[in-house]
Amino acid sequence: MVETMKIDIVSVFPEYFEALNVGLFGKAIERGLLDVKTHDLRDWTHDVHHSVDDTPVGGGAGMVMKPEVWAECLDDLLGLKPVEINDEDNPATFATTHQVADRPVLIFPNPSAPLFTQRDATELSHTSHLLFGCGRYEGYDARIPRYYRAQGVDVREYSIGDYVLNGGEVAVSVMLEAITRLMPGFMGNPDSIVEESYTGQNALLEHYQYTKPAVWRGMGVPDVLTSGDHGKVDRFRRDEAIAHTAQLRPDLIQQLDCKSLDKADRKTLMSLGWEVSGPHPRKLDD
Ligand code: 6GU
């Protein structure tokens, strides 16, 4: 028996998520691994204009999504009754607790929130019920995540990168894909997950990949890859991954645990100007 992950997505553009029916994600829905429901936030409005936003308190440009509409929607989806809460006990904060129990996780995409990483995706891939609330316009009333956190819901807010999108829909698609592909049984070949960039504690960017022909338009592939010596191939790829990462993402090298590096890893890093005798690698001044 497969364990189904329930996914609710609330948006003012639910049709955006029709694209989820294609590819591996669509297959996972067909196979019952995912139970995806999209909801139109405007279904929870009561006024003739179906308005979901209002002007910001304190002034300023743009519009902010209203708490009442969101709360009616989220109460329905979470099976909660409205309550008055003691506001002092519930400060505005980005939650940093990371514990997945068998309770729903409510996720709000937010460009001003902490970055969504592979670690978050891995953790959330074990959740049985994910609920995504897509904000539009300038964002949503900050009391919404605070309220549901106070109700015992595991509320997360995430940004997917340092750039601004018009709304949360694209960010939710990104997070959903990153999360669900890590579910047991999602991928045809689970091995392909293991070697990827950003996997595990010791994240490195991947080495270059080549396929046949060995010479294409005059361009060859590194000899070692056709040598048949698997040990040498592994070492070559590992060194290439370390070199790429050191060049493009020195922040990832700095996070490596030196104890997890073998002798050849250390030698490679030292040749690139890194010191590896402390707990984490440290770039020596050039
Ligand atoms: Cl999560 N939302 C929006 N609107 N823009 C973003 C983002 C999220 N992450 C990066 N840019």
Side-chain angles (χ1 to χ4, degrees):
M1 244 254 334
V2 288
E3 252 232 75
T4 304
M5 183 190 282
K6 255 185 83 177
I7 299 168
D8 286 294
I9 307 170
V10 182
S11 165
V12 290
F13 299 121
E15 65 277 16
Y16 178 89
F17 294 97
E18 278 162 27
L20 292 179
N21 291 319
V22 303
L24 276 178
F25 198 94
K27 283 243 162 56
I29 295 173
E30 269 173 39
R31 287 188 292 134
L33 196 58
L34 305 175
D35 172 15
V36 184
K37 291 197 178 71
T38 53
H39 311 271
D40 187 341
L41 181 64
R42 293 191 202 279
D43 291 349
W44 281 271
T45 58
H46 304 289
D47 62 315
V48 284
H49 301 293
H50 302 288
S51 52
V52 294
D53 58 343
D54 207 336
T55 54
V57 177
M63 298 292 269
V64 178
M65 296 189 106
K66 295 149 67 74
E68 305 97 312
V69 178
W70 269 109
E72 285 201 31
C73 166
L74 295 172
D75 283 350
D76 274 356
L77 298 180
L78 291 163
L80 296 174
K81 294 247 180 308
V83 294
E84 296 288 318
I85 64 169
N86 184 347
D87 205 28
E88 257 110 76
D89 296 343
N90 300 287
T93 172
F94 288 115
T96 49
T97 50
H98 281 240
Q99 33 166 354
V100 166
D102 212 24
R103 57 177 177 157
V105 181
L106 175 56
I107 300 173
F108 292 104
N110 179 342
S112 301
L115 264 190
F116 180 80
T117 67
Q118 188 70 16
R119 187 185 301 247
D120 300 302
T122 305
E123 189 209 1
L124 293 166
S125 70
H126 302 290
T127 313
S128 55
H129 187 188
L130 292 179
L131 226 146
F132 291 94
C134 300
R136 277 264 145 191
Y137 319 105
E138 308 304 307
Y140 47 84
D141 193 299
R143 291 170 293 184
I144 303 169
R146 267 161 69 196
Y147 177 88
Y148 286 97
R149 212 165 274 142
Q151 300 306 296
V153 179
D154 184 349
V155 183
R156 315 281 182 97
E157 293 169 280
Y158 291 116
S159 164
I160 62 160
D162 294 339
Y163 37 77
V164 179
L165 307 168
N166 290 329
E169 285 76 10
V170 172
V172 165
S173 307
V174 168
M175 290 188 266
L176 259 183
E177 187 157 322
I179 293 165
T180 53
R181 63 191 293 285
L182 296 173
M183 291 172 68
F186 186 92
M187 293 288 247
N189 174 14
D191 291 346
S192 55
I193 290 180
V194 181
E195 286 177 28
E196 287 169 314
S197 302
Y198 301 116
T199 307
Q201 302 293 84
N202 285 292
L204 292 175
L205 305 186
E206 267 198 275
H207 55 80
Y208 287 127
Q209 299 277 10
Y210 304 92
T211 183
K212 291 170 274 288
V215 180
W216 170 76
R217 295 196 176 177
M219 303 164 78
V221 301
D223 286 337
V224 57
L225 297 180
T226 51
S227 69
D229 183 332
H230 296 298
K232 280 209 176 116
V233 168
D234 287 349
R235 190 63 248 165
F236 175 83
R237 287 178 164 168
R238 175 95 182 152
D239 285 340
E240 203 168 68
I242 291 172
H244 283 172
T245 314
Q247 190 194 355
L248 299 174
R249 293 294 304 278
D251 57 304
L252 293 177
I253 298 285
Q254 269 162 31
Q255 289 168 41
L256 294 176
D257 176 1
C258 280
K259 284 204 292 297
S260 73
L261 301 172
D262 67 19
K263 233 169 131 184
D265 293 339
R266 289 168 206 233
K267 201 171 144 214
T268 303
L269 275 172
M270 286 182 335
S271 76
L272 297 167
W274 290 79
E275 193 251 328
V276 289
S277 51
H280 304 285
R282 200 171 58 88
K283 184 80 170 104
L284 298 171
D285 296 328
D286 298 292

